């Protein structure tokens, strides 16, 4: 792509952006880095709470709008219907128009969405605002990563994803812990005000702490339109169906029609892309073992987070009757676990350690899952503090390294491959997040009915007056629900074992030769850095010679 903005006039070779759409990395003094750290904190807080507060508060929002649980699920789905596919568009927007226009578009749409949520009591308008929010939801994550990039020394670049994408995952449990304290007045609109406030803080941070420039060029093509349309319709349809299917149930005809539409669109998108010279998503790259491993781990991580918000939380709220106020300490422990996982990741992170971090994470998932089995109706939240702490820590522990390894694997191949990985990661976090929630909820409903029937079939004959007593029915229903959740934790544990063994074998394959999965890519990036540093040294030497020559000419003149 021809460059439309020449940065060679203002930047040294080793300060140039890594790829089209990224920002430059100028050498900054420590004081300036501390200023960027402030921007990073603001962006991290905003990105972590965006959408998560709404999900945590969805029951109050349903009551305020007077809508059904199915319509409440649609509100949740609308965000992901926009989020799932726009990472591709936003990436190309940064390449074509630069950070200033990109940021202006993101903040403008976010503000419009939050204003609608603050003043609207219509379900359809609120759903539209949630869709708008999802369209630019990943924009805040981008700001957080770029501020972290400027904040960290160049020797610590490998920590960028850990302190941005990784720590952002703490936002989900933190929002659930925060929600009971914010909702004391039962004002559902308070969430929109908080989101609006954090967005304005990000706006202020960007205006006061401007990011370095990026390379611009022609990124969009007329040939992208059919691919983007099919990809958008397919992913949005899957998000919608997976959100409401487990509520209205899967035997409805339009559920089948929706799944068929989603499959046809994704297949059509695939057929178009594999025949393009410059595809949006390079499927040959997606099919490599490294990318498959990362996509599998990322999808399962999102499902594990879903298990914590839908599974363990559902056990206490839906079966045992706990309120959010009573679960505040439980949510706090889960949030601390997520924070512990993020901090531990920062302490241990290294490009050559990502495989080990993934293995440790899944070992923690296995322990936490099986420690949550063998439950009884008398279970209390404090009895699951340690298992859920481990699951939360594991789920955050490897997200940053996973994303960092994906960038390392794709970056040597070019910006198009970086876009491919980002698209796959966003797909795994949105579509598989909704799929995980659907599978968990559907399994619990089916398994509860099965367990209830087993209890009735194996129960000794009792007095009909007792068996029809409401208290007796409630008790055995509660017991069946607890057993269903115990089965769920067992299945998650067994799935984690399978992925754990796959990751161990993958690591051993390289460990036998005393190598890692990213040695080749790191060598390429190392050579590029060395060449850039050499060019910078030559550039500075030429400047010094020119300065000396100008000084001699000046002395000779006088």
């Amino acid at each position: 792509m021809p460059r439309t903005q020449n940065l060679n006039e203002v930047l040294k070779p080793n300060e140039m952006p890594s790829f089209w759409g990224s920002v430059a990395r100028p050498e900054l003094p420590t004081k300036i880095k501390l200023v960027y750290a402030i921007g990073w904190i603001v962006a991290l807080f905003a990105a972590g709470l965006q959408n998560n507060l709404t999900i945590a508060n969805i029951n109050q929002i349903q009551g305020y709008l007077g809508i059904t649980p199915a319509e409440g699920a649609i509100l949740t789905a609308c965000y992901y219907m926009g989020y799932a596919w726009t990472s591709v568009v936003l990436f190309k927007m940064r390449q074509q128009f630069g950070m200033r226009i990109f940021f202006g578009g993101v903040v403008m749409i976010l503000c419009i969405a939050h204003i609608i949520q603050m003043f609207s009591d219509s379900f359809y308008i609120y759903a539209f605002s949630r869709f708008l929010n999802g369209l630019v939801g990943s924009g805040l994550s981008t700001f957080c990563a770029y501020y972290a990039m400027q904040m960290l020394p160049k020797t610590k670049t490998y920590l960028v994803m850990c302190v941005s994408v990784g720590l952002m995952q703490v936002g989900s449990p933190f929002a659930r812990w925060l929600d009971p304290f914010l909702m004391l007045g039962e004002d559902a609109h308070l969430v929109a005000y908080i989101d609006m406030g954090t967005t304005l803080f990000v706006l202020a941070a960007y205006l006061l702490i401007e990011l370095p420039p990026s390379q611009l060029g022609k990124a969009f093509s007329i040939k992208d339109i059919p691919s983007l349309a099919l990809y958008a319709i397919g992913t949005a349809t899957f998000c919608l169906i997976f959100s409401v299917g487990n509520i209205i149930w899967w035997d409805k005809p339009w559920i089948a029609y929706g799944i068929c539409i989603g499959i046809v669109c994704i297949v059509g998108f695939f057929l178009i892309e594999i025949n393009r010279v410059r595809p949006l998503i390079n499927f040959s790259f997606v099919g490599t073992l490294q990318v498959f491993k990362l996509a599998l781990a990322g999808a399962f991580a999102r499902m594990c987070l879903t298990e914590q918000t839908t599974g363990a939380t559902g056990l206490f709220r839906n079966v045992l009757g706990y309120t959010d106020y009573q679960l505040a300490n439980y949510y706090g422990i889960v949030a601390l676990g997520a924070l512990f996982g993020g901090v531990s990741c920062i302490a241990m992170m290294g490009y050559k350690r990502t495989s080990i971090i993934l293995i440790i994470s899944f070992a923690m998932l296995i322990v936490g899952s099986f420690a949550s089995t063998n439950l009884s109706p008398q279970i209390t939240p404090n009895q699951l503090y340690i298992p859920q702490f481990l699951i939360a820590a594991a789920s955050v522990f490897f997200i940053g390294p996973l994303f960092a390894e994906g960038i390392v694997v794709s970056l040597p191949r070019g910006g198009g491959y970086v876009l491919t990985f980002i698209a796959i990661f966003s797909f795994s976090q949105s579509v598989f997040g909704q799929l995980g929630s659907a599978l968990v909820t559907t399994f619990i409903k089916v398994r509860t009915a099965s367990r209830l029937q087993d209890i009735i079939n194996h129960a000794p004959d009792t007095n009909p007056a007792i068996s029809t007593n409401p208290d007796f029915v409630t008790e055995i229903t509660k017991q069946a629900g607890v057993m269903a959740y115990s089965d769920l934790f067992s299945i998650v544990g067994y799935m984690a074992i399978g992925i754990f063994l796959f990751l161990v074998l993958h690591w051993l394959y390289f460990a036998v030769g005393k190598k890692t999965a990213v040695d080749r890519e790191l060598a390429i990036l190392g050579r590029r850095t060395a060449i850039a540093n050499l060019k910078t040294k030559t550039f500075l030497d030429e400047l010094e010679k020119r300065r000396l020559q100008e000084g001699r000419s000046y002395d000779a003149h006088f």
Side-chain angles (χ1 to χ4, degrees):
M1 290 184 295
R3 185 160 54 192
T4 59
Q5 181 179 1
N6 186 10
L7 299 182
N8 289 322
E9 299 176 358
V10 294
L11 296 172
K12 290 179 280 190
N14 63 349
E15 296 176 338
M16 296 292 288
S18 301
F19 54 89
W20 292 87
S22 180
V23 295
R25 292 287 308 275
E27 296 179 2
L28 302 171
T30 303
K31 291 182 180 180
I32 301 299
K33 289 182 180 292
L34 291 177
V35 173
Y36 276 110
I38 297 174
W40 164 74
I41 292 172
V42 172
L44 178 66
F45 189 77
L49 288 183
Q50 287 280 334
N51 185 50
N52 287 319
L53 269 178
T54 301
I55 293 177
N57 195 43
I58 193 65
N59 290 333
Q60 286 87 346
I61 293 174
Q62 286 177 203
Y64 174 81
L65 296 177
I67 58 178
T68 65
E71 291 171 325
I74 291 175
L75 291 182
T76 301
C78 284
Y79 178 89
Y80 293 105
M81 290 171 68
Y83 178 88
W85 57 275
T86 48
S87 58
V88 177
V89 178
L90 294 178
F91 187 93
K92 284 184 167 288
M93 184 178 174
R94 293 198 301 274
Q95 290 181 319
Q96 179 114 9
F97 303 110
M99 286 298 297
R100 186 177 296 275
I101 294 179
F102 166 75
F103 176 78
V106 167
V107 171
M108 181 183 68
I109 294 176
L110 281 176
C111 289
I112 291 173
H114 297 327
I115 290 172
I116 291 174
Q117 292 171 22
M118 285 191 291
F119 299 106
S120 172
D121 57 0
S122 168
F123 164 70
Y124 296 102
I125 296 177
Y126 203 98
F128 175 70
S129 71
R130 293 283 298 150
F131 178 75
L132 288 179
N133 200 336
L135 286 177
V136 294
S138 63
L140 293 179
S141 307
T142 302
F143 296 132
C144 183
Y146 284 162
Y147 279 127
M149 188 184 298
Q150 305 303 321
M151 171 188 71
L152 294 170
K154 289 189 178 181
T155 55
K156 301 291 184 181
T157 302
Y158 57 86
L159 292 178
V160 168
M161 295 306 165
C162 295
V163 301
S164 56
V165 176
L167 289 181
M168 268 185 273
Q169 308 305 314
V170 182
S172 178
F174 177 74
R176 287 195 171 274
W177 173 80
L178 191 63
D179 182 64
F181 301 101
L182 295 177
M183 293 300 110
L184 291 176
E186 298 184 356
D187 184 2
H189 276 181
L190 183 58
V191 171
Y193 284 96
I194 294 173
D195 285 341
M196 185 68 174
T198 56
T199 301
L200 293 177
F201 271 113
V202 173
L203 173 61
Y206 181 77
L207 294 177
L208 296 173
I209 315 170
E210 189 170 355
L211 287 167
S214 58
Q215 286 181 305
L216 307 183
K218 188 176 184 304
F220 288 104
S221 169
I222 193 69
K223 296 180 180 179
D224 294 336
I225 295 178
S227 296
L228 282 174
L230 290 173
Y231 184 59
I233 295 172
T235 53
T237 302
F238 281 136
C239 288
L240 177 62
I241 296 301
F242 294 153
S243 294
V244 301
N246 59 341
I247 297 177
I248 66 173
W249 212 239
W250 304 101
D251 56 353
K252 298 293 188 296
W254 71 269
I255 294 288
Y257 299 148
I259 293 177
C260 290
I261 291 172
I263 293 174
V264 168
C265 289
I266 295 299
V267 170
F269 168 71
F270 171 78
L271 293 176
I272 291 175
E273 289 297 289
I274 62 174
N275 290 294
R276 290 184 61 183
V277 177
R278 291 184 177 178
L280 289 173
I281 296 179
N282 193 309
F283 282 98
S284 61
F285 177 59
V286 175
T288 60
L289 182 61
Q290 283 178 298
V291 178
F292 174 77
K293 178 195 74 172
L294 297 174
L296 178 66
F300 191 74
R302 174 50 55 186
M303 288 186 175
C304 287
L305 288 172
T306 300
E307 182 273 326
Q308 273 204 314
T309 56
T310 307
T313 301
L315 168 64
F316 292 120
R317 291 179 59 182
N318 303 332
V319 177
L320 301 178
Y322 284 83
T323 65
D324 283 337
Y325 305 107
Q326 294 173 307
L327 292 174
N329 290 338
Y330 166 78
Y331 293 144
I333 293 296
V334 173
L336 287 176
L339 181 61
F340 173 79
V343 173
S344 301
C345 163
I346 295 171
M348 187 177 175
M349 177 58 186
Y351 285 132
K352 295 190 176 184
R353 297 177 185 168
T354 52
S355 294
I356 293 295
I357 291 175
L358 289 174
I359 291 172
I360 294 174
S361 298
F362 276 88
M364 294 167 65
L365 282 173
I366 293 169
V367 174
S369 297
F370 284 111
S372 300
T373 58
N374 298 321
L375 306 177
S376 69
Q378 290 74 40
I379 188 76
T380 58
N382 63 299
Q383 292 176 270
L384 290 183
Y385 279 175
I386 294 178
Q388 294 301 310
F389 180 95
L390 288 174
I391 293 176
S395 299
V396 177
F397 185 46
F398 72 92
I399 282 292
L402 182 146
F403 199 94
E405 183 174 338
I407 295 296
V408 168
V409 169
S410 56
L411 191 56
R413 295 171 169 84
Y417 291 86
V418 176
L419 174 59
T420 295
F421 173 73
I422 292 175
I424 294 301
F425 185 82
S426 298
F427 185 88
S428 71
Q429 297 300 288
S430 53
V431 176
F432 277 95
Q434 298 303 299
L435 175 61
S437 179
L439 291 176
V440 167
T441 308
T442 301
F443 175 84
I444 290 300
K445 288 183 178 180
V446 173
R447 195 63 174 170
T448 298
S450 175
R451 285 293 192 178
L452 182 60
Q453 188 63 48
D454 290 341
I455 293 172
I456 294 174
N457 291 340
H458 293 86
D461 293 335
T462 59
N463 190 318
I466 297 177
S467 61
T468 57
N469 187 291
D471 293 336
F472 176 79
V473 175
T474 301
E475 188 62 30
I476 64 171
T477 302
K478 181 186 294 185
Q479 183 178 351
V482 171
M483 294 171 69
Y485 277 98
S486 184
D487 294 339
L488 170 67
F489 297 136
S490 295
I491 290 177
V492 171
Y494 285 120
M495 290 176 63
I497 288 176
I499 300 179
F500 173 81
L501 294 175
F502 169 74
L503 294 174
V504 169
L505 291 175
H506 185 262
W507 174 74
L508 288 174
Y509 174 80
F510 289 97
V512 169
K514 297 182 179 180
K515 299 184 296 182
T516 66
V518 293
D519 279 348
R520 175 178 171 274
E521 287 79 9
L522 289 176
I524 295 173
L525 294 176
R527 286 195 295 270
R528 289 183 183 178
T529 302
I531 292 171
N533 289 336
L534 181 60
K535 288 182 178 179
T536 299
K537 184 178 182 303
T538 304
F539 174 74
L540 293 176
D541 289 343
E542 290 178 354
L543 283 181
E544 182 64 18
K545 289 179 182 178
R546 189 180 304 171
R547 187 185 66 82
L548 291 174
Q549 289 174 357
E550 290 175 351
R552 289 170 187 161
S553 299
Y554 180 83
D555 293 339
H557 179 73
F558 287 97

